[in-house]
Amino acid sequence: MRLVSHPVLCNYYITYRCNATCSFCDIWERPSPYVTPENVRDNLRDLKRLGVRVIDFTGGEPLLHRQLDDLLREAKNLGLITTITTNGLLYPKYAERLHGLVDMLHFSLDSPIAEEHDKSRGVKCFDKVMESIAIAKKLGERPDILFTVFEHNVHQIKQLHEEICLPNDLVLILNPVFEYNDVETGGGFSEKTLQEMTWWGKQKNVYLNDAFIQLRRDGGNHVDDPVCLAGSTTLVISPENKLVLPCYHLGLKDLPIDGKLYDLYRSDEVQKLIALEGRLPGCEGCAINCYMQPSFAVEMNRYWWKALPSTLKYNRIKGTWKQLF
């Protein structure tokens, strides 16, 4: 049963550029401009009109955009929920400018050991994450730690949880790595690792969407009975000011927005593509978290029920009951 029929999330790529070279990502390899405030202003109005509630200003590294605070302020003025994920390299420089503008602030950290985290990111940034945590806390922010889980680092959750998250009263978000395109992510998980992630998801200040684990056990999305609703729940906007369909990672088509996002999204061409969500050949086996999360939230099925307890837990820990979707 579909609970919400309109899009709820926008993954707004404000640049593909990045100051890290993560081994499990290829976005940083793409040439890219930066979005203009004028285009963002127009698009945010149309996103609000379409029913979108959450704006994820993403990249690349979003803090590379020197007008990020202005973009966030535009979104907040429209009553939209904002989220940012950063590697922390630039946060100490811009923290005060971003203060109070980010509803969900995530610092990426893939190991409690500096050398291992820096190796995975291709740049020394562990110390900057630690500095960023201290600065954010001083400003009264409460960031989350986003831990990308691989088969090879699941054993480090305990150390990260005990040495970094609990002492700083931070939520540890477990983000199972996923396969996409030809990027070698090592996204396959053993049943033992899935069980370990599930156990950790029940611990204090740890968030794991249990539906992610169920989807992995089910072999991901299946085109004959799709769970992915990426096209109808999530709008993807590129730095070139184009609407990317059906999602960023599949990216079969990108259409110029030209100040008419609302009309473009509702056009026959776009709606025909949306109708194919989860049913295209490239959708088979997909388990990309950033599209599955909103998909699980808008349709009442077994994944909705699996996701519900962890969603309620996160809201309780953070002390907020905002209706995201």
Side-chain angles (χ1 to χ4, degrees), residues 127-154:
D127 290 343
K128 283 293 184 181
V129 175
M130 296 301 103
E131 182 183 356
S132 295
I133 291 171
I135 292 172
K137 287 187 64 181
K138 187 176 180 180
L139 290 172
E141 306 278 11
R142 194 184 178 195
D144 299 327
I145 298 300
L146 186 68
F147 180 80
T148 300
V149 184
F150 299 84
E151 188 77 17
H152 68 261
N153 72 354
V154 67

Side-chain angles (χ1 to χ4, degrees), residues 16-256:
Y16 293 141
R17 298 184 188 189
C18 193
N19 48 7
T21 56
C22 302
S23 59
F24 50 90
C25 174
D26 67 351
I27 297 176
W28 55 269
E29 298 177 356
R30 301 182 61 171
S32 173
Y34 293 95
V35 297
T36 68
E38 294 76 20
N39 285 337
V40 172
R41 190 176 301 115
D42 290 342
N43 292 337
L44 288 177
R45 291 196 195 101
D46 280 348
L47 288 167
K48 173 84 172 181
R49 192 177 170 197
L50 287 166
V52 168
R53 292 282 292 121
V54 182
I55 306 293
D56 180 16
F57 286 115
T58 187
E61 169 53 49
L63 270 65
L64 284 172
H65 198 299
R66 295 187 179 183
Q67 295 169 290
L68 177 58
D69 56 321
D70 294 330
L71 309 184
L72 288 163
R73 195 170 288 107
E74 288 283 348
K76 293 289 288 179
N77 287 342
L78 288 170
L80 298 167
I81 296 168
T82 58
T83 176
I84 292 285
T85 300
T86 176
N87 57 35
L89 282 169
L90 291 172
Y91 183 79
K93 181 178 180 179
Y94 295 119
E96 290 193 8
R97 285 172 55 179
L98 301 177
H99 178 49
L101 298 175
V102 187
D103 293 306
M104 292 180 285
L105 174 64
H106 306 317
F107 294 140
S108 296
L109 191 61
D110 303 328
S111 172
I113 302 169
E115 295 79 7
E116 293 189 16
H117 174 71
D118 293 346
K119 182 179 179 181
S120 76
R121 296 277 159 174
V123 63
K124 290 186 176 181
C125 56
F126 180 91
D127 290 343
K128 283 293 184 181
V129 175
M130 296 301 103
E131 182 183 356
S132 295
I133 291 171
I135 292 172
K137 287 187 64 181
K138 187 176 180 180
L139 290 172
E141 306 278 11
R142 194 184 178 195
D144 299 327
I145 298 300
L146 186 68
F147 180 80
T148 300
V149 184
F150 299 84
E151 188 77 17
H152 68 261
N153 72 354
V154 67
H155 68 283
Q156 294 184 332
I157 295 175
K158 184 177 188 294
Q159 184 179 351
L160 186 63
H161 184 239
E162 293 180 352
E163 295 182 3
I164 297 173
C165 294
L166 288 182
N168 290 290
D169 193 27
L170 304 179
V171 175
L172 174 60
I173 297 178
L174 302 183
N175 179 46
V177 72
F178 49 81
E179 301 279 0
Y180 72 96
N181 300 337
D182 297 319
V183 179
E184 294 294 330
T185 66
F189 290 108
S190 65
E191 177 59 28
K192 179 182 177 182
T193 294
L194 294 177
Q195 290 177 9
E196 190 166 353
M197 280 193 280
T198 298
W199 185 86
W200 273 109
K202 301 183 190 314
Q203 306 312 304
K204 180 181 179 181
N205 278 24
V206 180
Y207 168 77
L208 169 69
N209 190 324
D210 286 329
F212 290 164
I213 303 301
Q214 184 62 54
L215 186 65
R216 298 306 177 96
R217 289 194 171 110
D218 293 342
N221 179 78
H222 296 295
V223 296
D224 57 344
D225 185 21
V227 65
C228 179
L229 302 172
S232 60
T233 62
T234 308
L235 278 83
V236 178
I237 300 177
S238 75
E240 297 87 4
N241 200 36
K242 294 180 178 180
L243 181 64
V244 182
L245 295 159
C247 65
Y248 166 80
H249 294 82
L250 199 54
L252 297 180
K253 197 152 194 176
D254 54 5
L255 302 171

